[in-house]
Amino acid sequence: MNGVNVLDRLNVLEDLVKLHPGFVVPEPETLVANTDAPSIAVDNNGTLHINASGRILINGADLAERFTLLEALAQLHPDLPPPPPNEHQSNVTEPSISIGDNNYLLIDATNGILINGVDALERLQVVKSLVQLHLESLVPQFERRAISTTADGASVVLAVDLDNDGNVDVLGASIEDSTIAWFRNSGNGSSFQRNVITASAVDIASVHAADLDGDGDSDVLSASFIDDRITWYRNNGNGTFDDHVTITNAATEARSVYAADLDNDGDLDVLSAAYGIDTIAWYRNDGTFSGPIVITNAANGAFCVHAADLDNDGDMDVLSANSVGNTITWYRNDGTGVFPQTLFVASSVDSPRSVYAADLNQDGFLDVISANSGDNSIAWYQNQGGTGFSAPHVITTTASYALAVYAADLDQDGDMDVLSASVVDNKIAWYRNNGQGSFSSPFVISTSALYAYSVYAADLDHDGDLDVLSASNSDNTIAWYASNSQQNDRLRDSIRT
């Protein structure tokens, strides 16, 4: 109707009713016709008049019933802004009723459309205003589901398709049994089958997944703290891992591993953070891996390493969180894997444990986020055009012994929200981004992830929204939390036209 999908707008009223517990659906008022017999006519102003002495049904939807319901819902929101006038103008020069693509019935008028005297387009715009009002306040809810409760000292979790079947699987590591395992997703998250990659990665601190050999599947990397190893587990393409290649056994007290193309030669290199020798190093991938190429040996308490293009020059820079030195450091890449410039993102952070990069304020530059165990904070640092970073913007100070941070669009509003895992309060939480980098108070997903070590987000059940994953150390659990934002999706879809 003048480009508005009438049925979508009318049907979404049912979802709006569900958002108002206790709401009593009113009896429909009668839309009184100004004619004794059904008629369709056009007046001198180009307004299309549709009249009936009885009910008017559109594909079975009673307009009197839906318009009455709409008025009652609108009255619950006295602050509802008035609908914008004439948003949906017709693209015809005279009123018409025709059949379009997909057997759609197209009703167009050059001025307006009155149904038994009611301005139909104005009513449909009120529906849009109601939906937009609710979308601003609705947040997804998460339902906890265990993947494994036998990951002895679970420490790391992430999600990646390891068997190339199109489903996102789960990759996890557990410290006490020195095990890296992956869990094959049945397809909709209803079941996960455990597959052990190794049981000899002593005191695993970090795992990462990336296609290191360029064969189209994701391999696995690990950093193990006790034996100082960075190890590559080569994927055969079906989720079996026969080759275990030691990249180095000299990353003393290895804490973190990551993969990125640092020398711009088209393949992924490997990065490590070695806590015991304060070293950030990389290993050049030429089919085999070079020895360590040291970026810095002054990363005091190197705890986490990450790579991202922070200055938008087309190459991958390196970030580290240095938990003893209380700094977050940016190593600027010259494009060849040489890092001539070391810059502080922040120089007085209270024991940063995790660092991640994402564009939080939608300005086209990647910002930096950290989890800081010393002051229980999650903070972000605004990228100032690739030249430096702002003072910290504190998101929360209630993540007790914050250990991990991640960013993902959990509410599907087009901006990146933030997730955290914190140890002492056993908490997985997320913080809603308003689109400009200001964040809500924490939305707690769980406080039963005992010693929460790790957090991640991925769509495990193929429903189009991002679910959340956690690894918790004391209860030996790898879990996922199913997002139920489908209702939000229906609301959002209903106002796209």
Side-chain angles (χ1 to χ4, degrees), residues 215-270:
D215 63 353
D217 53 53
S218 290
D219 307 304
V220 173
L221 287 161
S222 70
S224 41
F225 186 78
I226 296 297
D227 60 10
D228 311 324
R229 290 182 184 272
I230 304 297
T231 307
W232 166 28
Y233 309 88
R234 191 196 306 266
N235 191 343
N236 295 323
N238 58 0
T240 60
F241 298 82
D242 294 332
D243 293 337
H244 299 180
V245 179
T246 298
I247 295 175
T248 185
N249 58 7
T252 305
E253 296 180 355
R255 273 290 181 189
S256 182
V257 66
Y258 200 79
D261 184 5
L262 296 179
D263 53 4
N264 277 340
D265 65 351
D267 50 39
L268 295 177
D269 309 299
V270 172

Side-chain angles (χ1 to χ4, degrees), residues 24-81:
V24 177
V25 177
E27 289 295 322
E29 298 176 2
T30 301
L31 296 180
V32 180
N34 56 6
T35 181
D36 294 331
S39 66
I40 299 176
V42 180
D43 65 20
N44 292 332
N45 297 318
T47 300
L48 182 65
H49 296 259
I50 301 174
N51 289 280
S53 52
R55 300 165 69 197
I56 296 179
L57 305 182
I58 297 181
N59 277 24
D62 187 321
L63 287 187
E65 175 186 293
R66 297 303 171 94
F67 285 167
T68 301
L69 177 58
L70 173 59
E71 288 183 358
L73 285 169
Q75 289 172 4
L76 297 177
H77 299 279
D79 56 344
L80 185 71

Side-chain angles (χ1 to χ4, degrees), residues 363-427:
D363 66 350
F365 286 90
L366 294 176
D367 308 300
V368 173
I369 320 160
S370 68
N372 313 308
S373 63
D375 61 3
N376 308 318
S377 72
I378 305 295
W380 74 282
Y381 313 84
Q382 184 175 340
N383 190 332
Q384 298 177 322
T387 61
F389 288 85
S390 72
H393 300 283
V394 176
I395 297 173
T396 187
T397 56
T398 62
S400 188
Y401 204 89
L403 199 59
V405 70
Y406 191 72
D409 185 5
L410 294 179
D411 54 4
Q412 296 184 293
D413 63 352
D415 52 51
M416 298 293 278
D417 308 302
V418 171
L419 279 158
S420 68
S422 44
V423 172
V424 174
D425 54 7
N426 309 314
K427 187 166 65 183

Side-chain angles (χ1 to χ4, degrees), residues 55-110:
R55 300 165 69 197
I56 296 179
L57 305 182
I58 297 181
N59 277 24
D62 187 321
L63 287 187
E65 175 186 293
R66 297 303 171 94
F67 285 167
T68 301
L69 177 58
L70 173 59
E71 288 183 358
L73 285 169
Q75 289 172 4
L76 297 177
H77 299 279
D79 56 344
L80 185 71
N86 301 319
E87 180 184 4
H88 289 279
Q89 296 291 342
S90 174
N91 57 1
V92 300
T93 57
E94 60 183 28
S96 66
I97 298 177
S98 60
I99 304 296
D101 295 339
N102 301 316
N103 287 325
Y104 279 24
L105 180 65
L106 307 180
I107 302 175
D108 291 281
T110 54

Side-chain angles (χ1 to χ4, degrees), residues 342-365:
T342 298
L343 302 167
F344 286 123
V345 174
S347 58
S348 58
V349 187
D350 199 346
S351 195
R353 301 286 177 161
S354 176
V355 66
Y356 195 78
D359 184 3
L360 297 181
N361 60 346
Q362 297 184 311
D363 66 350
F365 286 90

